[in-house]
Each structure stands twice: as structure tokens, then as C-alpha cells.
Amino acid sequence: DIQTRPFQKGDEKSLSKILKKIYHKEFIDEYWWWRYLDNPVGDHFCQCAIYDGRIVGVAGGIPYRIKWGDREIIAGQITDLAVEPELRGKKVFSAIQKANMAEIKKKANGAYGFTNEITFPIYGAYDYAFRVPRMTKVLNTRALLKNRDSLTTTQKITTAIGNIGLSIIERMKKKRIKSHLSIKTITSFDSSFDTFFEIISPLFKMMHVRNHKYLNWRYCANPFYRYTTYVVEKEGDILGFVVLRNKSGREKRGFILEFFAVQGREDVQHLLLNKITEHFRQRGVDMITCWLFPHSPYYNTFRQHLYMKRKGDLIVVFTGGEQDQDTVNSEELKKDFTNPLNWHISCGDHDAF
């Protein structure tokens, strides 16, 4: 029989072995501690499957504080769905998935998971699914070729001409920013970001709570990736910030994890977008990727900076959690939670980036 129980310290090595068999890369102990033991909520929904006295599967869940109008709720992001390859088809996955969702429903108001057309059926009876639009900006036309590793002479010439064209268009489009605004790099987030979140949060009905505790956990304590944060300030007040990540390897891609600017300051948006392009060009990135809904107050500015809309990634959402049932109107939450027009979702909201 398959037994299930919550993840606990000491399980990480067994779980890392399972993920290595599937993804063919190493997972360090800190990966599990950071996600499930050290997150800002101080709880987790991660369930382990036990068979014949050993761990054979995992269904993870990270709790997040979600801004819903003028209040906060807890939602679980479904992560780390994995089963020992030799036990697939043995009902291991259904057992831990059931335990995982039961734990989330007991402790949270809802849940969501990022997926694609191939994997989304594993989520079962979800309430709604929608796409988070992907925006891309090409810095090197080599990114548009399928075979980038061995270019022919003709492809090299075509790519060079294309890059010259991109450079000309970018210079024509580039916005000049007044010098009184300063932009700097930071390595941690202080309490001034709590004030900044209070200023920008009315722009969005639903979003992750981005206070300094969350931002430090997400971007400074992450044991897997390194990020770069730029902040625009004037007289000590934060006007906007971005968080960026380079992806090494064959695909030289840059990701915008966070992008925020105070309302009515398009000059701040332009300054940050110019800095993003400069940052990634200096690091040899071929293409920049971010997630951005057309209803975002930043969407038109991104379009001015030559970001193009692409087919988005799927997100599935669930409601009906038991947390705070006496104070949360479940039908109202379901209506808002499943409507993409209410959401601000960025790459940083996905645990994989």
C-alpha cells in the first residue's frame, strides 16, 4: 500500500534522487529547505509517498500570501510533482496528489499551478485555466533560428544584417530619460519596499504580496539561482524596480522576474526598460522574456520597447479551500481568483524561474 505523510527535514536526499532520475541534474538539500521550511508563510503543503519503507514520490506545495482587493489570503502553488520512474502507473501519483490537495484545501483558500498543454491533465478537476501572455524582445536575430549551434555562412550574414537592423530600430525607439532619476543595484530588500508595495498594490486586484520579507526569500535566499535587482529612486523614495536573471547554456535568454513602477511615471518605466536592455546586451543575451497581461499598466511601454506578444504559459487554478471559511465568501473568491483580468502575474511568481 502507498502511504503519504508531510515532508520533513531528512527527506531531502531521497527526494533529490528521484528528481535527478527525471531531470538529470543535481538537487541540493537547501533546495528543499528553502521552498518548504524557510518560506515567509512558515508552512508547506508538500507530501511524500512511502512504499515498502522508502520515499517513492513527492507532490509539493508552497504557500503564498495573495493580495485580494484590500485583504490577504493564502494560496498554494503546486510544485515538484514526481514519482520514481519504475513505479509510474502504480497509483503512487494519485495517492500523493490527493494528499497534497487535501492539505492545501485544509490550510489555504485556493491553489494554482503552472503547466502546459502536455502536463495540465494531471491536475484533474481544476476550476479554471487561462494563459499568462509571454512577451519577448529579440536582441540577436540568432535567437530566431532553430539550429543556432552551427550557422551556415548565409545564416551568419543574414543574422549580422538583422542585428544591424535591430540596432537601428532600437536607437530610433529608445527613450531619453532626464538625469535627475538615479538607478542603482541592490543585493537585499529593506522595509522601504513594504511602503512601495502599499503604493503600487492598488493597481492590481490579485497578486503575490511583495513585501521585503518575501522579496528577500524569493531572490536573495534562493539557493538555485542568482538575480540582479535595479531600483530607481528619487530623494530616497522608491519609484520602481526590476529583478533579472540570465539563463546560461545553448539558449542565451534573459528573464524579467519583476517589473514595477509607481503610477503615472512612464519615465521610470522607460528608464528601467533601457537598463534591462543594456544589462542583457552586456551579458550576450539573445532574447529577453517576461510575462505581462495586456491589461497591465506597463504593457504599452513594453510594446514601445519592441517587446512582442507570444503564446503564453498555462496556469490552472482551484478554489474551495477551508481556510477562514467564516470570513471568506467562497463564490466571490472563485469569481475573482479565476478571472485573469484581476491578476498581475510575472515570471517571478513561478517557482521554476
Side-chain angles (χ1 to χ4, degrees), residues 56-70:
V56 295
V58 61
I62 305 174
Y64 289 99
R65 289 187 172 88
I66 302 292
K67 172 196 178 294
W68 175 33
D70 59 357

Side-chain angles (χ1 to χ4, degrees), residues 75-102:
Q77 183 180 147
I78 301 166
T79 62
D80 293 323
L81 301 172
V83 173
E84 284 276 12
E86 64 268 23
L87 290 177
R88 289 174 183 169
K90 304 293 184 181
K91 299 184 179 181
V92 177
F93 182 82
S94 59
I96 49 172
Q97 186 186 41
K98 184 178 179 180
N100 173 252
M101 289 305 298

Side-chain angles (χ1 to χ4, degrees), residues 173-219:
K173 291 276 188 178
K174 187 173 182 179
K175 298 291 182 178
R176 303 299 176 184
I177 308 300
K178 295 179 181 180
S179 59
H180 69 272
L181 293 175
S182 64
I183 187 166
K184 66 178 183 179
T185 307
I186 62 170
T187 56
S188 64
F189 301 86
D190 60 27
S191 59
S192 63
F193 281 86
D194 299 347
T195 302
F196 179 76
F197 178 73
E198 292 176 3
I199 293 171
I200 59 97
S201 64
L203 297 174
F204 314 99
K205 190 168 189 177
M206 302 202 75
M207 65 186 297
H208 279 197
V209 172
R210 286 165 165 85
N211 55 29
H212 81 285
K213 186 177 181 181
Y214 166 82
L215 292 169
N216 279 316
W217 169 78
R218 179 63 181 84
Y219 299 113

